[in-house]
Amino acid sequence: MQEIYIVRHGQTFLNELNRTQGWVDSPLTEKGKEQARRMGQALKRSNAHFSVVVASDRGRVLETVGLLLEEAGLSDSPIEQNPDWREMCFGEYEGCSNEDTIAAILHYNGYETETCTFQSRRKFRELITDTMSKIDKSGWAESREQFEARLLAALNQVILSLEQCAGQRALVVAHGVVMETLFLLLEKTADLPEIDNGRAMILQHENGVFTVKAVNVAAF
């Protein structure tokens, strides 16, 4: 059995401003830096060994993984940068307020913005990923199918890297919607939990099957 610890990057400037952030980047806030350090400290206390360390190629993730590894005492660990672990691309909505992005999604789907409520976070997240490429006029936004396909490819690449070094555990630092989408792909019926900045999701892999062991983890 293999384990993959996936950590969401620390809070960024655009997170703080409540703006849509996919491929566009912004630096960590002081809070975000502290979140990364706390995760590193938690990993150090757990004595977890990682045969493979992988990161999205976005600056906020690389800043997070650097701080995390330093606190964990793992600064010498080589980092595989893989663009397949990037956040979803939101096209022309990159950098827009989350309120405006969500309003456009709801309007496209015929919902009244002021009165719309959803019974589950799962349905709301699926609505967003289903709609982005349909409302984006730039042609840059990814479809749900494109996004899910590259995430599954990224996940399988981690397993391949582990197998090549006979390793049992990998650390991946990535993004919020990435982690939420993987949860939805692997857990077909459960509702979607919150995944905060600087928190982890743990996956297990055995006989070709991935399962979610824990979500929104702050300590191990």
Side-chain angles (χ1 to χ4, degrees):
M1 184 183 70
Q2 296 140 324
E3 285 190 326
I4 304 176
Y5 287 42
I6 309 178
V7 176
R8 185 183 177 190
H9 63 77
Q11 183 197 66
T12 67
F13 179 66
L14 289 179
N15 290 151
E16 174 70 11
L17 296 179
N18 199 30
R19 291 190 171 270
T20 303
Q21 182 177 225
W23 285 13
V24 72
D25 213 2
S26 66
L28 300 186
T29 62
E30 289 305 314
K31 179 179 179 180
K33 293 175 184 178
E34 182 57 29
Q35 289 169 335
R37 293 188 186 102
R38 285 202 300 268
M39 176 53 67
Q41 292 161 5
L43 291 173
K44 185 175 184 178
R45 288 192 297 270
S46 75
N47 293 316
H49 171 73
F50 297 101
S51 304
V52 173
V53 178
V54 183
S56 156
D57 64 349
R58 299 295 82 184
R60 59 193 185 270
V61 166
L62 298 177
E63 190 176 1
T64 298
V65 74
L67 291 167
L68 184 159
L69 291 176
E70 183 178 4
E71 288 292 330
L74 301 171
S75 296
D76 293 336
S77 300
I79 302 169
E80 299 178 17
Q81 290 186 40
N82 185 347
D84 280 347
W85 282 104
R86 283 183 189 178
E87 185 60 286
M88 186 177 193
C89 182
F90 299 105
E92 66 183 294
Y93 290 90
E94 295 275 352
C96 293
S97 72
N98 286 334
E99 182 179 353
D100 287 347
T101 301
I102 291 170
I105 290 168
L106 294 177
H107 177 74
Y108 177 86
N109 287 283
Y111 294 103
E112 292 291 336
T113 308
E114 295 80 4
T115 59
C116 180
T117 58
F118 285 83
Q119 293 181 339
S120 72
R121 292 192 73 248
R122 183 185 194 97
K123 290 182 178 179
F124 186 55
R125 170 54 61 202
E126 289 174 340
L127 183 74
I128 292 172
T129 53
D130 279 336
T131 306
M132 283 312 309
S133 64
K134 299 172 184 175
I135 62 173
D136 170 52
K137 297 182 179 64
S138 73
W140 278 91
E142 291 177 283
S143 69
R144 178 178 175 179
E145 293 76 18
Q146 289 172 320
F147 185 48
E148 291 179 348
R150 75 168 167 88
L151 294 187
L152 291 174
L155 198 57
N156 285 314
Q157 180 58 49
V158 172
I159 295 302
L160 180 60
S161 295
L162 282 172
E163 290 174 345
Q164 288 173 343
C165 68
Q168 297 300 311
R169 186 177 293 114
L171 173 66
V172 177
V173 182
H175 306 267
V177 179
V178 165
M179 295 168 70
E180 290 184 345
T181 300
L182 284 174
F183 179 92
L184 295 177
L185 285 169
L186 301 177
E187 295 288 329
K188 300 297 186 183
T189 58
D191 197 14
L192 178 65
E194 296 276 356
I195 303 177
D196 300 322
N197 289 103
R199 297 291 183 91
M201 177 169 71
I202 302 175
L203 307 183
Q204 292 182 332
H205 176 262
E206 189 169 19
N207 298 323
V209 177
F210 291 97
T211 55
V212 179
K213 179 181 176 182
V215 186
N216 208 34
V217 178
F220 305 93

